[in-house]
């Protein structure tokens, strides 16, 4: 039971470190490229440039309605921050599951440090990569897409653990 608690603490730590890093470095308003177009399309529920990213536009509308910042685009940027932080946490969970499949359940403190610490280092290394960090700070569709890309392998591994 202690292993599960440590595992969830490390997962929470990966989320908190990523979220705070991205929240403190987030764009305060509209950046100088097509993020403003996505924000305008979300506020009016219209279509941005092709292919349009309709799900991102609808979710952006919900993000614009949340009472977090006075600037509506900062609210939209915060949703990218949240999506990216969740992606980092899911990456941590994926790495732990893969290590567990390869090495089995942790049997000692050194094995726990190797498994959970290694997964945390891997997830936070991805957190601080230049391209991922850049896309996490503004209301662009890449952070939301990364959330779905990390959600799919995690769901596959959960299914693998529980399949008959």
């Amino acid at each position: 039971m202690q292993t599960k608690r440590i595992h969830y603490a490390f997962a929470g730590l990966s989320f908190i470190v990523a979220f705070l890093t991205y929240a403190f470095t987030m764009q305060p308003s509209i950046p100088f490229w097509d993020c403003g177009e996505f924000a305008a399309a979300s506020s009016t529920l219209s279509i941005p440039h092709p292919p349009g990213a309709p799900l991102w536009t609808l979710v952006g509308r919900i993000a614009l309605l949340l009472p977090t910042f006075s600037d509506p685009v900062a609210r939209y940027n915060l949703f990218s921050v949240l999506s990216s932080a969740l992606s980092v946490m899911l990456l941590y969970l994926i790495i732990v599951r893969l290590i567990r499949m390869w090495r089995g359940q942790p049997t000692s403190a050194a094995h726990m440090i190797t498994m959970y610490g290694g997964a945390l280092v891997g997830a936070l290394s991805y957190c601080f990569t230049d391209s991922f960090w850049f896309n996490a700070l503004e209301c662009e569709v890449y952070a939301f897409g990364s959330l779905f890309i990390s959600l799919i392998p995690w769901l596959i591994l959960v299914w693998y653990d529980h399949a008959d």
Side-chain angles (χ1 to χ4, degrees), residues 48-97:
H49 65 278
L55 180 61
W56 177 242
T57 304
L58 290 172
V59 169
R61 177 64 178 163
I62 295 168
L64 288 172
L65 296 174
L66 297 176
T68 52
F69 292 107
S70 60
D71 185 3
V73 180
R75 295 179 208 155
Y76 203 4
N77 291 341
L78 184 66
F79 192 75
S80 288
V81 166
L82 181 64
S83 298
S84 297
L86 286 171
S87 297
V88 170
M89 184 184 72
L90 285 171
L91 181 61
Y92 166 80
L93 295 172
I94 289 167
I95 294 171
V96 166
R97 284 191 184 269

Side-chain angles (χ1 to χ4, degrees), residues 89-111:
M89 184 184 72
L90 285 171
L91 181 61
Y92 166 80
L93 295 172
I94 289 167
I95 294 171
V96 166
R97 284 191 184 269
L98 291 175
I99 293 172
R100 191 178 294 144
M101 288 170 61
W102 177 45
R103 297 192 59 180
Q105 291 290 338
T107 55
S108 66
H111 195 187

Side-chain angles (χ1 to χ4, degrees), residues 91-93 95-96 99 113-124:
L91 181 61
Y92 166 80
L93 295 172
I95 294 171
V96 166
I99 293 172
I113 290 171
T114 303
M115 181 183 290
Y116 301 140
L120 184 66
V121 167
L124 291 180

Side-chain angles (χ1 to χ4, degrees), residues 123-139:
L124 291 180
S125 295
Y126 182 64
C127 169
F128 293 110
T129 57
D130 183 55
S131 60
F132 188 74
W133 193 344
F134 179 75
N135 288 316
L137 305 180
E138 55 196 17
C139 57

